[in-house]
Amino acid sequence: MRSNISCAAVLSFTLAACAPASKLPQVDKSRAEAERAKQYELVIDDHVSAWKRLHNTAYPILRNNADFCGDRVGKSYSFKLISAGYFGDDLEEHALSAGISKRPYVIALPEGSSAARAGVREQDVLVAVGNWNVPEDDYYRELSEQLEEQTEDKSSLAMTFLRDGKELEVDVPLDRICDFTLVLQRKELVNAFADGKRIIFTTGIMNLLRDDDELAAVIGHEMAHNTMGHMDKRLGNAAIGFVFDLLFAGIGVNTQGAFSNAAGAAYSQDFEAEADYVGLYYMYHAGYNIDDAPTVWRRMSLGNPASIQDSIMSSHPSSPERFVALEDTIKEIREKVENGEAIAPNEGYEFNASEPEQRPDTDDTGN
């Protein structure tokens, strides 16, 4: 016991000798709590704004390229819903305090979309789908099931919204779109990826991309990974490599998955280059400005200088290669427009060429 007391006394003396020399201000606890609430509010507002920007930018790409998506085509009511429960147990109360409704309400409504044309507005609270009333709590799974069930074999969906205290019944036409789910992750990591069924963005990359055209370039790239079946091809290649891992295991050699990993990484740079190429066509057909798309990869190199160096060991082409290839793709698209050709990627595509939808000029990106 004495030994412990002595050690504690020595430790206290030592730490006191290393204490700050300045006289620090006494923090007002009530003001600190008010600031804490404000910062949580900013977190919520920033995430909602990011969702609004992501959805409104992605939707024209998903809708205007449906002919490219094969059997991955679905129907959509075109707007994005959110509620306080979306933020999870750690942030739900803060979301409520920030003014986020407990019930699902419209936060993103692309201009010219079916719902916008039908009269739906941002901030409208969804209270019923057909004859099914949306519960105030724990509605997520059931709402998703109802929307999926009621959109099947229909061209429109009866919805009831609450606006300014009054119920409003709207028959919302359903848009034909590429059926890929958008996901937004609250992460500082600068990243976007696709898994065959979803297109996933982090808030980190949303903050990096300066305008809707830059965001559209990355969305088109990730969607192309899905439409071109890159995930399935990588898994198929890895499965072939796994056969060799098993063969070596049969003779007592543990390859530690070396063949699976190597085969899975095969054609990785080619897949990325193809996603750049095809994604630019998707961007064009959605009415975005493709001319500055190459600068996205130039700016990506600022945060990752290693991408500038050419390397056969890298999973992606070098950023200079991507920049030049995209410039060539822009030239290819412009020549097709000038010559009246179908505006579709070369090799193996059948597409009804049409002029891109003209997006209304707007500064409302949700930032």
Side-chain angles (χ1 to χ4, degrees):
M1 178 67 74
R2 285 182 181 178
S3 175
N4 290 340
I5 293 174
S6 298
C7 288
V10 171
L11 180 60
S12 297
F13 175 79
T14 303
L15 291 177
C18 300
S22 303
K23 185 177 181 180
L24 302 177
Q26 192 71 26
V27 175
D28 185 312
K29 296 296 184 183
S30 62
R31 288 171 56 203
E33 285 302 315
E35 177 59 24
R36 182 173 289 107
K38 180 62 178 178
Q39 291 186 19
Y40 274 122
E41 180 182 346
L42 292 172
V43 168
I44 301 299
D45 288 348
D46 182 71
H47 195 76
V48 171
S49 294
W51 249 127
K52 179 177 178 179
R53 182 186 176 201
L54 178 60
H55 181 86
N56 286 347
T57 305
Y59 200 81
I61 301 174
L62 295 170
R63 182 181 60 195
N64 290 310
N65 292 287
D67 287 344
F68 277 117
C69 293
D71 59 358
R72 289 309 308 267
V73 174
K75 298 176 182 178
S76 173
Y77 44 85
S78 75
F79 53 82
K80 170 66 182 175
L81 295 166
I82 207 167
S83 69
Y86 161 83
F87 292 92
D89 295 338
D90 56 334
L91 288 177
E92 182 174 1
E93 290 302 317
H94 301 295
L96 289 169
S97 298
I100 303 299
S101 172
K102 200 167 188 176
R103 305 184 78 171
Y105 71 102
V106 179
I107 61 162
L109 185 67
E111 291 194 41
S113 65
S114 58
R117 296 193 304 271
V120 178
R121 299 179 189 170
E122 288 186 11
Q123 305 299 317
D124 284 352
V125 177
L126 181 64
V127 295
V129 179
N131 295 322
W132 179 76
N133 294 322
V134 181
E136 291 193 18
D137 290 300
D138 300 326
Y139 63 82
Y140 302 101
R141 178 176 296 179
E142 194 172 0
L143 174 58
S144 178
E145 291 173 353
Q146 286 288 334
L147 288 170
E148 183 176 352
E149 178 182 325
Q150 296 198 39
T151 55
E152 190 174 355
D153 299 326
K154 291 184 180 180
S155 60
S156 63
L157 190 59
M159 293 181 166
T160 304
F161 296 92
L162 192 64
R163 181 191 300 169
D164 299 328
K166 297 180 181 179
E167 287 194 355
L168 175 70
E169 294 183 2
V170 182
D171 192 41
V172 179
L174 299 173
D175 285 334
R176 178 173 175 266
I177 69 166
C178 296
D179 190 19
F180 299 122
T181 302
L182 292 173
V183 177
L184 179 63
Q185 299 178 339
R186 291 196 307 271
K187 293 182 178 179
E188 292 183 10
L189 178 69
V190 175
N191 195 20
F193 59 97
D195 64 5
K197 297 180 179 179
R198 303 179 301 167
I199 299 172
I200 301 98
F201 275 71
T202 65
T203 48
I205 195 169
M206 293 292 295
N207 292 331
L208 176 72
L209 300 170
R210 294 177 297 188
D211 56 39
D212 289 353
D213 290 318
E214 289 191 353
L215 177 57
V218 182
I219 293 170
H221 171 93
E222 298 304 337
M223 193 172 94
H225 277 311
N226 286 345
T227 59
M228 303 307 295
H230 291 163
M231 179 59 69
D232 289 339
K233 290 175 181 177
R234 283 170 175 157
L235 292 174
N237 291 339
I240 294 172
F242 182 64
V243 172
F244 287 90
D245 287 326
L246 289 177
L247 290 173
F248 275 87
I251 59 174
V253 178
N254 182 4
T255 63
Q256 298 183 332
F259 286 100
S260 299
N261 294 334
Y267 303 108
S268 179
Q269 290 196 16
D270 292 332
F271 289 153
E272 293 298 328
E274 185 175 45
D276 284 350
Y277 172 72
V278 174
L280 201 66
Y281 276 88
Y282 294 167
M283 186 181 173
Y284 171 82
H285 279 285
Y288 289 98
N289 178 18
I290 62 174
D291 292 325
D292 292 332
T295 62
V296 173
W297 306 116
R298 180 177 283 176
R299 291 205 311 107
M300 287 290 188
S301 69
L302 298 177
N304 181 24
S307 68
I308 301 174
Q309 181 63 41
D310 194 9
S311 173
I312 61 171
M313 300 303 293
S314 174
S315 60
H316 291 59
S318 69
S319 52
E321 289 176 315
R322 301 179 83 166
F323 184 94
V324 171
L326 280 174
E327 283 194 323
D328 289 344
T329 306
I330 292 170
K331 182 180 178 182
E332 175 183 297
I333 291 173
R334 295 301 182 203
E335 288 177 349
K336 288 179 179 179
V337 172
E338 187 176 338
N339 296 331
E341 300 176 28
I343 315 303
N346 294 331
E347 296 297 331
Y349 287 91
E350 292 182 5
F351 185 69
N352 252 336
S354 60
E355 283 304 303
E357 172 181 313
Q358 296 302 310
R359 291 186 304 133
D361 290 331
T362 175
D363 292 328
D364 185 10
T365 60
N367 281 333

